mmCIF file of all heavy atoms in Angstrom:
data_model
loop_
_atom_site.group_PDB
_atom_site.id
_atom_site.type_symbol
_atom_site.label_atom_id
_atom_site.label_comp_id
_atom_site.label_asym_id
_atom_site.label_seq_id
_atom_site.Cartn_x
_atom_site.Cartn_y
_atom_site.Cartn_z
ATOM 1 N N THR A 849 63.917 70.274 46.361
ATOM 2 C CA THR A 849 62.965 69.175 46.491
ATOM 3 C C THR A 849 61.964 69.499 47.595
ATOM 4 O O THR A 849 62.211 70.358 48.452
ATOM 5 C CB THR A 849 63.675 67.854 46.845
ATOM 6 O OG1 THR A 849 64.222 67.947 48.174
ATOM 7 C CG2 THR A 849 64.799 67.541 45.851
ATOM 8 N N ALA A 850 60.847 68.794 47.580
ATOM 9 C CA ALA A 850 59.821 69.028 48.584
ATOM 10 C C ALA A 850 60.330 68.706 49.987
ATOM 11 O O ALA A 850 60.040 69.424 50.952
ATOM 12 C CB ALA A 850 58.586 68.184 48.268
ATOM 13 N N ALA A 851 61.121 67.638 50.113
ATOM 14 C CA ALA A 851 61.650 67.262 51.429
ATOM 15 C C ALA A 851 62.614 68.321 51.953
ATOM 16 O O ALA A 851 62.629 68.622 53.149
ATOM 17 C CB ALA A 851 62.331 65.904 51.348
ATOM 18 N N GLN A 852 63.439 68.880 51.073
ATOM 19 C CA GLN A 852 64.345 69.962 51.481
ATOM 20 C C GLN A 852 63.543 71.163 51.974
ATOM 21 O O GLN A 852 63.925 71.825 52.935
ATOM 22 C CB GLN A 852 65.238 70.377 50.316
ATOM 23 C CG GLN A 852 66.353 69.412 49.987
ATOM 24 C CD GLN A 852 67.190 69.893 48.809
ATOM 25 O OE1 GLN A 852 66.791 70.801 48.055
ATOM 26 N NE2 GLN A 852 68.353 69.296 48.625
ATOM 27 N N TRP A 853 62.442 71.441 51.302
ATOM 28 C CA TRP A 853 61.608 72.584 51.709
ATOM 29 C C TRP A 853 61.004 72.342 53.089
ATOM 30 O O TRP A 853 60.983 73.243 53.930
ATOM 31 C CB TRP A 853 60.503 72.825 50.684
ATOM 32 C CG TRP A 853 59.539 73.882 51.100
ATOM 33 C CD1 TRP A 853 59.741 75.242 51.084
ATOM 34 C CD2 TRP A 853 58.227 73.680 51.630
ATOM 35 N NE1 TRP A 853 58.628 75.891 51.576
ATOM 36 C CE2 TRP A 853 57.691 74.960 51.916
ATOM 37 C CE3 TRP A 853 57.460 72.539 51.886
ATOM 38 C CZ2 TRP A 853 56.418 75.123 52.445
ATOM 39 C CZ3 TRP A 853 56.190 72.701 52.417
ATOM 40 C CH2 TRP A 853 55.677 73.994 52.690
ATOM 41 N N VAL A 854 60.512 71.131 53.332
ATOM 42 C CA VAL A 854 59.973 70.806 54.648
ATOM 43 C C VAL A 854 61.033 71.048 55.721
ATOM 44 O O VAL A 854 60.765 71.629 56.773
ATOM 45 C CB VAL A 854 59.490 69.335 54.697
ATOM 46 C CG1 VAL A 854 59.174 68.930 56.144
ATOM 47 C CG2 VAL A 854 58.267 69.140 53.829
ATOM 48 N N ALA A 855 62.263 70.628 55.440
ATOM 49 C CA ALA A 855 63.352 70.724 56.417
ATOM 50 C C ALA A 855 63.691 72.161 56.797
ATOM 51 O O ALA A 855 64.333 72.395 57.832
ATOM 52 C CB ALA A 855 64.592 70.023 55.882
ATOM 53 N N LYS A 856 63.259 73.133 56.010
ATOM 54 C CA LYS A 856 63.562 74.534 56.307
ATOM 55 C C LYS A 856 62.830 75.026 57.557
ATOM 56 O O LYS A 856 63.125 76.102 58.068
ATOM 57 C CB LYS A 856 63.193 75.416 55.097
ATOM 58 C CG LYS A 856 64.095 75.203 53.894
ATOM 59 C CD LYS A 856 63.547 75.887 52.646
ATOM 60 C CE LYS A 856 63.732 77.381 52.655
ATOM 61 N NZ LYS A 856 65.122 77.782 52.474
ATOM 62 N N ALA A 857 61.881 74.228 58.062
ATOM 63 C CA ALA A 857 61.114 74.663 59.236
ATOM 64 C C ALA A 857 61.594 74.029 60.537
ATOM 65 O O ALA A 857 60.986 74.249 61.585
ATOM 66 C CB ALA A 857 59.628 74.353 59.037
ATOM 67 N N VAL A 858 62.670 73.237 60.502
ATOM 68 C CA VAL A 858 63.141 72.620 61.748
ATOM 69 C C VAL A 858 63.692 73.679 62.699
ATOM 70 O O VAL A 858 64.077 74.776 62.286
ATOM 71 C CB VAL A 858 64.233 71.541 61.487
ATOM 72 C CG1 VAL A 858 63.686 70.410 60.650
ATOM 73 C CG2 VAL A 858 65.459 72.162 60.834
ATOM 74 N N ALA A 859 63.738 73.333 63.982
ATOM 75 C CA ALA A 859 64.329 74.218 64.985
ATOM 76 C C ALA A 859 65.844 74.264 64.803
ATOM 77 O O ALA A 859 66.438 73.347 64.221
ATOM 78 C CB ALA A 859 63.986 73.718 66.385
ATOM 79 N N ASP A 860 66.477 75.324 65.289
ATOM 80 C CA ASP A 860 67.926 75.439 65.114
ATOM 81 C C ASP A 860 68.663 74.505 66.069
ATOM 82 O O ASP A 860 68.078 73.925 66.984
ATOM 83 C CB ASP A 860 68.397 76.888 65.280
ATOM 84 C CG ASP A 860 68.218 77.438 66.688
ATOM 85 O OD1 ASP A 860 68.558 76.713 67.652
ATOM 86 O OD2 ASP A 860 67.772 78.580 66.836
ATOM 87 N N LYS A 861 69.947 74.353 65.837
ATOM 88 C CA LYS A 861 70.739 73.353 66.556
ATOM 89 C C LYS A 861 70.842 73.600 68.045
ATOM 90 O O LYS A 861 71.200 72.693 68.810
ATOM 91 C CB LYS A 861 72.146 73.273 65.955
ATOM 92 C CG LYS A 861 72.957 74.564 66.097
ATOM 93 C CD LYS A 861 74.333 74.427 65.471
ATOM 94 C CE LYS A 861 75.154 75.702 65.635
ATOM 95 N NZ LYS A 861 76.504 75.561 65.006
ATOM 96 N N ASN A 862 70.535 74.820 68.496
ATOM 97 C CA ASN A 862 70.627 75.126 69.926
ATOM 98 C C ASN A 862 69.302 74.942 70.659
ATOM 99 O O ASN A 862 69.237 75.142 71.875
ATOM 100 C CB ASN A 862 71.114 76.570 70.108
ATOM 101 C CG ASN A 862 72.522 76.776 69.572
ATOM 102 O OD1 ASN A 862 73.406 75.939 69.780
ATOM 103 N ND2 ASN A 862 72.746 77.876 68.871
ATOM 104 N N ASP A 863 68.260 74.575 69.935
ATOM 105 C CA ASP A 863 66.952 74.379 70.569
ATOM 106 C C ASP A 863 67.009 73.155 71.485
ATOM 107 O O ASP A 863 67.424 72.077 71.053
ATOM 108 C CB ASP A 863 65.875 74.184 69.501
ATOM 109 C CG ASP A 863 64.473 74.365 70.051
ATOM 110 O OD1 ASP A 863 64.107 73.638 71.004
ATOM 111 O OD2 ASP A 863 63.751 75.242 69.556
ATOM 112 N N PRO A 864 66.619 73.297 72.743
ATOM 113 C CA PRO A 864 66.697 72.152 73.677
ATOM 114 C C PRO A 864 65.729 71.024 73.335
ATOM 115 O O PRO A 864 65.891 69.904 73.808
ATOM 116 C CB PRO A 864 66.353 72.784 75.032
ATOM 117 C CG PRO A 864 65.530 73.984 74.691
ATOM 118 C CD PRO A 864 66.112 74.505 73.404
ATOM 119 N N ARG A 865 64.734 71.296 72.503
ATOM 120 C CA ARG A 865 63.773 70.262 72.106
ATOM 121 C C ARG A 865 64.353 69.498 70.918
ATOM 122 O O ARG A 865 64.093 69.829 69.772
ATOM 123 C CB ARG A 865 62.433 70.900 71.756
ATOM 124 C CG ARG A 865 61.797 71.679 72.902
ATOM 125 C CD ARG A 865 60.686 72.585 72.429
ATOM 126 N NE ARG A 865 61.202 73.620 71.532
ATOM 127 C CZ ARG A 865 60.434 74.534 70.935
ATOM 128 N NH1 ARG A 865 59.131 74.547 71.134
ATOM 129 N NH2 ARG A 865 60.975 75.445 70.136
ATOM 130 N N GLU A 866 65.112 68.468 71.229
ATOM 131 C CA GLU A 866 65.856 67.735 70.206
ATOM 132 C C GLU A 866 64.970 67.279 69.054
ATOM 133 O O GLU A 866 65.345 67.376 67.885
ATOM 134 C CB GLU A 866 66.545 66.524 70.835
ATOM 135 C CG GLU A 866 67.338 65.691 69.843
ATOM 136 C CD GLU A 866 67.881 64.428 70.483
ATOM 137 O OE1 GLU A 866 67.085 63.584 70.926
ATOM 138 O OE2 GLU A 866 69.111 64.292 70.547
ATOM 139 N N TYR A 867 63.780 66.786 69.371
ATOM 140 C CA TYR A 867 62.898 66.232 68.347
ATOM 141 C C TYR A 867 62.465 67.279 67.314
ATOM 142 O O TYR A 867 62.103 66.930 66.180
ATOM 143 C CB TYR A 867 61.663 65.583 68.994
ATOM 144 C CG TYR A 867 60.950 66.474 69.989
ATOM 145 C CD1 TYR A 867 59.955 67.344 69.595
ATOM 146 C CD2 TYR A 867 61.304 66.442 71.335
ATOM 147 C CE1 TYR A 867 59.315 68.172 70.494
ATOM 148 C CE2 TYR A 867 60.663 67.258 72.258
ATOM 149 C CZ TYR A 867 59.666 68.119 71.836
ATOM 150 O OH TYR A 867 59.042 68.941 72.742
ATOM 151 N N LEU A 868 62.491 68.560 67.675
ATOM 152 C CA LEU A 868 62.130 69.609 66.724
ATOM 153 C C LEU A 868 63.293 69.975 65.802
ATOM 154 O O LEU A 868 63.115 70.719 64.844
ATOM 155 C CB LEU A 868 61.639 70.863 67.448
ATOM 156 C CG LEU A 868 60.334 70.724 68.240
ATOM 157 C CD1 LEU A 868 59.893 72.085 68.756
ATOM 158 C CD2 LEU A 868 59.233 70.105 67.379
ATOM 159 N N ARG A 869 64.475 69.440 66.095
ATOM 160 C CA ARG A 869 65.632 69.701 65.228
ATOM 161 C C ARG A 869 65.677 68.741 64.051
ATOM 162 O O ARG A 869 66.584 68.820 63.222
ATOM 163 C CB ARG A 869 66.928 69.607 66.039
ATOM 164 C CG ARG A 869 66.993 70.563 67.213
ATOM 165 C CD ARG A 869 68.410 70.807 67.692
ATOM 166 N NE ARG A 869 69.068 69.617 68.175
ATOM 167 C CZ ARG A 869 69.181 69.260 69.450
ATOM 168 N NH1 ARG A 869 68.626 70.023 70.380
ATOM 169 N NH2 ARG A 869 69.828 68.180 69.811
ATOM 170 N N TYR A 870 64.678 67.844 63.975
ATOM 171 C CA TYR A 870 64.621 66.858 62.897
ATOM 172 C C TYR A 870 63.328 66.995 62.098
ATOM 173 O O TYR A 870 62.330 67.553 62.566
ATOM 174 C CB TYR A 870 64.692 65.441 63.466
ATOM 175 C CG TYR A 870 65.875 65.193 64.356
ATOM 176 C CD1 TYR A 870 65.707 64.704 65.652
ATOM 177 C CD2 TYR A 870 67.168 65.444 63.916
ATOM 178 C CE1 TYR A 870 66.794 64.479 66.482
ATOM 179 C CE2 TYR A 870 68.260 65.228 64.744
ATOM 180 C CZ TYR A 870 68.066 64.744 66.019
ATOM 181 O OH TYR A 870 69.144 64.528 66.838
ATOM 182 N N VAL A 871 63.357 66.448 60.901
ATOM 183 C CA VAL A 871 62.146 66.277 60.100
ATOM 184 C C VAL A 871 61.450 65.020 60.612
ATOM 185 O O VAL A 871 62.112 64.056 61.011
ATOM 186 C CB VAL A 871 62.501 66.142 58.606
ATOM 187 C CG1 VAL A 871 61.252 65.877 57.769
ATOM 188 C CG2 VAL A 871 63.215 67.398 58.111
ATOM 189 N N TYR A 872 60.132 65.019 60.614
ATOM 190 C CA TYR A 872 59.388 63.871 61.137
ATOM 191 C C TYR A 872 58.406 63.342 60.099
ATOM 192 O O TYR A 872 57.805 64.110 59.336
ATOM 193 C CB TYR A 872 58.611 64.282 62.389
ATOM 194 C CG TYR A 872 57.770 63.177 62.976
ATOM 195 C CD1 TYR A 872 58.349 62.120 63.666
ATOM 196 C CD2 TYR A 872 56.376 63.181 62.814
ATOM 197 C CE1 TYR A 872 57.577 61.098 64.201
ATOM 198 C CE2 TYR A 872 55.600 62.166 63.345
ATOM 199 C CZ TYR A 872 56.202 61.128 64.036
ATOM 200 O OH TYR A 872 55.436 60.119 64.555
ATOM 201 N N SER A 873 58.258 62.029 60.065
ATOM 202 C CA SER A 873 57.266 61.391 59.201
ATOM 203 C C SER A 873 56.354 60.530 60.056
ATOM 204 O O SER A 873 56.824 59.786 60.929
ATOM 205 C CB SER A 873 57.947 60.514 58.140
ATOM 206 O OG SER A 873 56.980 59.727 57.450
ATOM 207 N N ASP A 874 55.054 60.630 59.790
ATOM 208 C CA ASP A 874 54.114 59.725 60.455
ATOM 209 C C ASP A 874 53.681 58.611 59.504
ATOM 210 O O ASP A 874 52.757 57.849 59.799
ATOM 211 C CB ASP A 874 52.896 60.492 60.979
ATOM 212 C CG ASP A 874 52.094 61.174 59.869
ATOM 213 O OD1 ASP A 874 52.409 60.960 58.685
ATOM 214 O OD2 ASP A 874 51.143 61.916 60.195
ATOM 215 N N GLY A 875 54.361 58.513 58.359
ATOM 216 C CA GLY A 875 54.036 57.515 57.360
ATOM 217 C C GLY A 875 53.127 58.043 56.265
ATOM 218 O O GLY A 875 53.069 57.481 55.174
ATOM 219 N N GLU A 876 52.444 59.150 56.561
ATOM 220 C CA GLU A 876 51.548 59.788 55.585
ATOM 221 C C GLU A 876 52.010 61.184 55.227
ATOM 222 O O GLU A 876 51.937 61.603 54.072
ATOM 223 C CB GLU A 876 50.122 59.851 56.132
ATOM 224 C CG GLU A 876 49.123 60.469 55.178
ATOM 225 C CD GLU A 876 47.717 60.581 55.760
ATOM 226 O OE1 GLU A 876 47.557 60.309 56.975
ATOM 227 O OE2 GLU A 876 46.788 60.949 55.012
ATOM 228 N N PHE A 877 52.501 61.906 56.236
ATOM 229 C CA PHE A 877 52.977 63.273 56.029
ATOM 230 C C PHE A 877 54.426 63.396 56.482
ATOM 231 O O PHE A 877 54.849 62.755 57.456
ATOM 232 C CB PHE A 877 52.131 64.273 56.821
ATOM 233 C CG PHE A 877 50.724 64.425 56.323
ATOM 234 C CD1 PHE A 877 49.693 63.699 56.899
ATOM 235 C CD2 PHE A 877 50.424 65.293 55.286
ATOM 236 C CE1 PHE A 877 48.389 63.828 56.457
ATOM 237 C CE2 PHE A 877 49.122 65.442 54.832
ATOM 238 C CZ PHE A 877 48.101 64.704 55.411
ATOM 239 N N LEU A 878 55.170 64.243 55.781
ATOM 240 C CA LEU A 878 56.517 64.632 56.192
ATOM 241 C C LEU A 878 56.400 66.063 56.686
ATOM 242 O O LEU A 878 55.881 66.930 55.967
ATOM 243 C CB LEU A 878 57.486 64.536 55.007
ATOM 244 C CG LEU A 878 58.990 64.604 55.338
ATOM 245 C CD1 LEU A 878 59.414 63.369 56.134
ATOM 246 C CD2 LEU A 878 59.809 64.702 54.050
ATOM 247 N N VAL A 879 56.866 66.330 57.909
ATOM 248 C CA VAL A 879 56.600 67.611 58.548
ATOM 249 C C VAL A 879 57.815 68.092 59.321
ATOM 250 O O VAL A 879 58.649 67.299 59.771
ATOM 251 C CB VAL A 879 55.366 67.495 59.497
ATOM 252 C CG1 VAL A 879 55.626 66.459 60.566
ATOM 253 C CG2 VAL A 879 55.003 68.825 60.121
ATOM 254 N N ALA A 880 57.910 69.403 59.491
ATOM 255 C CA ALA A 880 58.941 70.010 60.344
ATOM 256 C C ALA A 880 58.354 71.274 60.964
ATOM 257 O O ALA A 880 57.555 71.981 60.338
ATOM 258 C CB ALA A 880 60.196 70.341 59.550
ATOM 259 N N THR A 881 58.756 71.533 62.197
ATOM 260 C CA THR A 881 58.307 72.750 62.881
ATOM 261 C C THR A 881 59.291 73.120 63.970
ATOM 262 O O THR A 881 59.969 72.256 64.530
ATOM 263 C CB THR A 881 56.907 72.569 63.503
ATOM 264 O OG1 THR A 881 56.498 73.794 64.143
ATOM 265 C CG2 THR A 881 56.904 71.457 64.537
ATOM 266 N N ASN A 882 59.362 74.421 64.261
ATOM 267 C CA ASN A 882 60.140 74.869 65.412
ATOM 268 C C ASN A 882 59.215 75.427 66.498
ATOM 269 O O ASN A 882 59.662 75.995 67.477
ATOM 270 C CB ASN A 882 61.160 75.942 65.002
ATOM 271 C CG ASN A 882 60.503 77.250 64.602
ATOM 272 O OD1 ASN A 882 59.283 77.323 64.421
ATOM 273 N ND2 ASN A 882 61.294 78.291 64.434
ATOM 274 N N GLY A 883 57.911 75.245 66.282
ATOM 275 C CA GLY A 883 56.928 75.744 67.236
ATOM 276 C C GLY A 883 56.307 77.058 66.818
ATOM 277 O O GLY A 883 55.288 77.474 67.386
ATOM 278 N N TYR A 884 56.894 77.715 65.810
ATOM 279 C CA TYR A 884 56.387 79.000 65.340
ATOM 280 C C TYR A 884 55.968 78.962 63.871
ATOM 281 O O TYR A 884 55.199 79.808 63.428
ATOM 282 C CB TYR A 884 57.439 80.092 65.532
ATOM 283 C CG TYR A 884 57.812 80.322 66.973
ATOM 284 C CD1 TYR A 884 58.941 79.726 67.519
ATOM 285 C CD2 TYR A 884 57.010 81.113 67.807
ATOM 286 C CE1 TYR A 884 59.285 79.919 68.850
ATOM 287 C CE2 TYR A 884 57.349 81.315 69.135
ATOM 288 C CZ TYR A 884 58.485 80.712 69.654
ATOM 289 O OH TYR A 884 58.816 80.898 70.970
ATOM 290 N N HIS A 885 56.491 78.016 63.128
ATOM 291 C CA HIS A 885 56.013 77.787 61.763
ATOM 292 C C HIS A 885 56.112 76.302 61.462
ATOM 293 O O HIS A 885 56.897 75.571 62.077
ATOM 294 C CB HIS A 885 56.761 78.639 60.731
ATOM 295 C CG HIS A 885 58.214 78.335 60.577
ATOM 296 N ND1 HIS A 885 58.874 78.438 59.366
ATOM 297 C CD2 HIS A 885 59.164 77.939 61.458
ATOM 298 C CE1 HIS A 885 60.150 78.133 59.518
ATOM 299 N NE2 HIS A 885 60.350 77.825 60.778
ATOM 300 N N ILE A 886 55.281 75.849 60.529
ATOM 301 C CA ILE A 886 55.190 74.434 60.191
ATOM 302 C C ILE A 886 55.192 74.284 58.674
ATOM 303 O O ILE A 886 54.497 75.030 57.976
ATOM 304 C CB ILE A 886 53.894 73.795 60.742
ATOM 305 C CG1 ILE A 886 53.679 74.136 62.221
ATOM 306 C CG2 ILE A 886 53.904 72.286 60.542
ATOM 307 C CD1 ILE A 886 52.305 73.744 62.749
ATOM 308 N N HIS A 887 55.974 73.341 58.155
ATOM 309 C CA HIS A 887 55.927 72.947 56.749
ATOM 310 C C HIS A 887 55.523 71.485 56.683
ATOM 311 O O HIS A 887 56.020 70.670 57.481
ATOM 312 C CB HIS A 887 57.300 73.087 56.078
ATOM 313 C CG HIS A 887 57.768 74.494 55.914
ATOM 314 N ND1 HIS A 887 58.907 74.817 55.213
ATOM 315 C CD2 HIS A 887 57.259 75.673 56.336
ATOM 316 C CE1 HIS A 887 59.094 76.119 55.223
ATOM 317 N NE2 HIS A 887 58.100 76.662 55.909
ATOM 318 N N TRP A 888 54.663 71.122 55.738
ATOM 319 C CA TRP A 888 54.341 69.700 55.579
ATOM 320 C C TRP A 888 53.960 69.375 54.136
ATOM 321 O O TRP A 888 53.489 70.227 53.391
ATOM 322 C CB TRP A 888 53.237 69.271 56.534
ATOM 323 C CG TRP A 888 51.851 69.746 56.232
ATOM 324 C CD1 TRP A 888 50.894 69.114 55.469
ATOM 325 C CD2 TRP A 888 51.232 70.957 56.701
ATOM 326 N NE1 TRP A 888 49.732 69.849 55.436
ATOM 327 C CE2 TRP A 888 49.914 70.974 56.182
ATOM 328 C CE3 TRP A 888 51.659 72.007 57.504
ATOM 329 C CZ2 TRP A 888 49.024 72.027 56.451
ATOM 330 C CZ3 TRP A 888 50.788 73.047 57.759
ATOM 331 C CH2 TRP A 888 49.481 73.047 57.246
ATOM 332 N N ILE A 889 54.221 68.126 53.788
ATOM 333 C CA ILE A 889 53.822 67.594 52.496
ATOM 334 C C ILE A 889 53.231 66.208 52.728
ATOM 335 O O ILE A 889 53.538 65.557 53.717
ATOM 336 C CB ILE A 889 55.004 67.478 51.501
ATOM 337 C CG1 ILE A 889 56.092 66.543 52.064
ATOM 338 C CG2 ILE A 889 55.571 68.843 51.163
ATOM 339 C CD1 ILE A 889 57.194 66.203 51.079
ATOM 340 N N LYS A 890 52.409 65.771 51.801
ATOM 341 C CA LYS A 890 51.899 64.412 51.877
ATOM 342 C C LYS A 890 52.885 63.513 51.160
ATOM 343 O O LYS A 890 53.213 63.740 49.993
ATOM 344 C CB LYS A 890 50.518 64.319 51.238
ATOM 345 C CG LYS A 890 49.763 63.050 51.600
ATOM 346 C CD LYS A 890 48.282 63.175 51.310
ATOM 347 C CE LYS A 890 47.537 61.962 51.847
ATOM 348 N NZ LYS A 890 46.078 62.083 51.670
ATOM 349 N N SER A 891 53.402 62.513 51.861
ATOM 350 C CA SER A 891 54.420 61.637 51.281
ATOM 351 C C SER A 891 54.485 60.322 52.027
ATOM 352 O O SER A 891 54.482 60.300 53.257
ATOM 353 C CB SER A 891 55.798 62.308 51.327
ATOM 354 O OG SER A 891 56.806 61.421 50.903
ATOM 355 N N ASN A 892 54.540 59.227 51.268
ATOM 356 C CA ASN A 892 54.744 57.918 51.884
ATOM 357 C C ASN A 892 56.119 57.363 51.535
ATOM 358 O O ASN A 892 56.360 56.164 51.628
ATOM 359 C CB ASN A 892 53.647 56.929 51.462
ATOM 360 C CG ASN A 892 53.545 56.793 49.940
ATOM 361 O OD1 ASN A 892 54.418 57.256 49.203
ATOM 362 N ND2 ASN A 892 52.481 56.157 49.473
ATOM 363 N N ASP A 893 57.019 58.260 51.122
ATOM 364 C CA ASP A 893 58.382 57.853 50.775
ATOM 365 C C ASP A 893 59.262 57.663 52.004
ATOM 366 O O ASP A 893 60.358 57.104 51.899
ATOM 367 C CB ASP A 893 59.029 58.898 49.856
ATOM 368 C CG ASP A 893 58.354 58.975 48.495
ATOM 369 O OD1 ASP A 893 57.745 57.965 48.084
ATOM 370 O OD2 ASP A 893 58.420 60.038 47.856
#
């Protein structure tokens, strides 16, 4: 699924930046990044 694909860009579990270990939605886009790569889709789900 598109959401699963976005989640492939989250930071690993040992990253001290907790917020990067999750997928984030701003209400318009679903996004994930570890600071070196970013995945995003347009979604209001």
Side-chain angles (χ1 to χ4, degrees):
T849 68
Q852 285 180 345
W853 174 76
V854 169
K856 291 169 75 71
V858 298
D860 66 45
K861 64 181 181 180
N862 296 317
D863 196 302
R865 300 165 296 178
E866 180 186 63
Y867 51 89
L868 295 187
R869 302 200 298 262
Y870 306 125
V871 176
Y872 178 74
S873 170
D874 62 6
E876 181 183 8
F877 291 95
L878 193 67
V879 60
T881 181
N882 69 349
Y884 298 97
H885 65 146
I886 311 170
H887 292 187
W888 72 91
I889 60 171
K890 196 163 187 176
S891 174
N892 56 12
D893 294 335

